Amino acid sequence: MAIAVIDNWISPTSLHEKTGRNIQAMQLQDGKCIPQTDTGSSNSHGTICASILVEALPEHIHLTGYSCPGDDGRPSLDGVCTALEICLEKRPAYISMSIGSENWLETEKLAELTKKLADAGTYIFAACANKGHITFPAAYPWVLGVRYEAGISGLYREENSPIGCNIVVGDFSSCVLDKMAEENPFFECRTNSMAAPYALGKIVSEAVSLSDFPRWIGQKTAEMPKELPMPVVVVTGTVGRMKELLALLQKESYQAVLLTDRAKTDWVDMVLHVEAEDFAAWVKPLAEAGILLLDVSGELAKLKHFSDYDVDLGQKDTKKAYIEILQFFGTAEEKGG
């Protein structure tokens, strides 16, 4: 069995010191995959997450680490996509990704590659955002999103999560983290990034599946806010015209999302099917939205009071509506999420 780990930097030397195990280490640089020179941080994010995975796995499993160093210690998205393309050729059984992006304007290729891998039979475990925002690839329905929940024990399957969480991990022990905590108390804590490789290691080593876990019933009911943290455009008309408006905004780098109860969810285009009674649960996950389009042609009409600006696409051309929205909210300098 082969497992790949994709992260910012994975030090094979440090991983061996922490676990006594070896990992084939590759580095993505300028679009090329080359054998890694071990010059990065020994306690990098990728090294720690890979070590948590390795310590739980049987020795016969072949591990490959793909280091994708980018700016500020974060992985390069181009490097991550190149690593995924390599995985498409090699077809590992599992991929561990304790990384993600909250900017859905830059993740189209990420969606395409992870979907191809999932369709080919590779299981992808990805960490959800610690802040509870939507992050990719964890949110994609073909990826297993993982998050940590303090104060409980065991692993649970989560259903209908607005952030795409599939596995909830309670408090867990790790020899790697315990040893590191002797020098840095931070490692007494647990995070979503740590939980993702732990969950994968547990599932592989114990030969269990998601269906074997009890269902998570600890969801907290979100309270309806008095106001929303992002600009809201209330729209009426056909869903097709709304999608056209959404595409115009995204094309010009506005991190826009359409909430509707009249279409199926499309995570790539960020068209999200939301029922009125579930709306409050989506507010925090969508905190990074630059503009929220709210379809009030159906049951979501009861949410019209959140409107900052109203658009009737049955009476107005989408291009004209787009220009008027930009004029209302300000200049192009305010683009983004």
Side-chain angles (χ1 to χ4, degrees):
M1 179 186 294
I3 296 179
V5 184
I6 302 175
D7 215 301
N8 63 340
W9 186 264
I10 303 168
S11 166
T13 302
S14 179
L15 183 142
H16 182 79
E17 291 172 351
K18 289 175 169 49
T19 67
R21 299 280 297 278
N22 296 316
I23 187 170
Q24 180 183 8
M26 307 299 292
Q27 180 179 348
L28 282 302
Q29 186 175 21
D30 299 326
K32 298 179 181 179
C33 185
I34 58 176
Q36 183 169 310
T37 54
D38 205 354
T39 57
S41 169
S42 61
N43 284 333
S44 64
H45 182 272
T47 301
I48 295 167
C49 292
S51 297
I52 295 169
L53 171 61
V54 167
E55 70 174 336
L57 293 174
E59 292 190 6
H60 70 272
I61 291 177
H62 179 75
L63 291 155
T64 303
Y66 294 97
S67 295
C68 309
D71 297 331
D72 302 323
R74 299 177 181 179
S76 157
L77 185 59
D78 287 340
V80 169
C81 288
T82 301
L84 291 171
E85 288 173 340
I86 295 169
C87 288
L88 266 174
E89 298 175 3
K90 297 185 177 295
R91 301 287 176 87
Y94 297 91
I95 297 176
S96 180
M97 302 177 69
S98 290
I99 56 178
S101 173
E102 295 179 13
N103 182 357
W104 51 82
L105 299 178
E106 65 181 15
T107 55
E108 183 177 356
K109 190 174 182 182
L110 183 68
E112 176 188 348
L113 292 170
T114 52
K115 182 66 165 62
K116 286 181 177 179
L117 278 158
D119 289 345
T122 295
Y123 291 94
I124 303 172
F125 285 61
C128 298
N130 289 315
K131 294 183 292 184
H133 298 169
I134 289 173
T135 190
F136 299 102
Y140 296 133
W142 51 86
V143 170
L144 292 165
V146 184
R147 68 178 181 86
Y148 165 68
E149 181 80 18
I152 63 169
S153 60
L155 276 70
Y156 301 80
R157 71 179 191 276
E158 185 168 12
E159 300 171 354
N160 303 316
S161 163
I163 60 171
C165 178
N166 304 97
I167 302 173
V168 178
V169 178
D171 295 321
F172 62 93
S173 60
S174 162
C175 293
V176 168
L177 295 176
D178 290 346
K179 183 66 175 177
M180 297 183 72
E182 294 175 2
E183 297 182 4
N184 186 341
F186 168 79
F187 294 104
E188 295 175 0
C189 304
R190 300 292 183 262
T191 65
N192 293 357
S193 289
M194 299 170 183
Y198 174 82
L200 174 53
K202 190 83 169 174
I203 284 173
V204 172
S205 62
E206 298 186 3
V208 294
S209 65
L210 185 60
S211 61
D212 295 322
F213 299 146
R215 187 170 65 88
W216 172 250
I217 56 173
Q219 291 96 332
K220 298 177 182 177
T221 302
E223 294 184 6
M224 187 67 75
K226 293 182 180 179
E227 58 184 28
L228 300 184
M230 74 289 288
V232 179
V233 177
V234 161
V235 287
T236 52
T238 67
V239 174
R241 298 286 293 277
M242 293 178 190
K243 290 181 178 180
E244 290 175 5
L245 177 58
L246 178 68
L248 282 173
L249 289 164
Q250 292 176 346
K251 185 178 180 181
E252 293 302 318
S253 299
Y254 287 90
Q255 189 155 301
V257 57
L258 169 63
L259 300 190
T260 177
D261 59 357
R262 299 189 296 150
K264 294 181 179 180
T265 291
D266 182 340
W267 283 105
V268 177
D269 293 334
M270 288 304 288
V271 176
L272 304 181
H273 180 95
V274 177
E275 300 290 339
E277 59 268 25
D278 300 324
F279 177 77
W282 287 90
V283 175
K284 183 177 180 180
L286 290 170
E288 295 300 316
I291 294 179
L292 190 152
L293 301 181
L294 186 60
D295 173 12
V296 296
S297 301
E299 288 297 314
L300 298 185
K302 61 184 68 175
L303 303 171
K304 290 177 66 173
H305 61 281
F306 286 117
S307 175
D308 293 309
Y309 188 73
D310 294 6
V311 171
D312 182 356
L313 292 175
Q315 303 293 326
K316 191 169 295 182
D317 173 79
T318 52
K319 182 67 175 180
K320 183 177 181 181
Y322 162 74
I323 293 172
E324 290 180 357
I325 289 170
L326 298 194
Q327 291 174 339
F328 178 81
F329 286 111
T331 68
E333 294 178 356
E334 298 176 7
K335 293 179 183 179

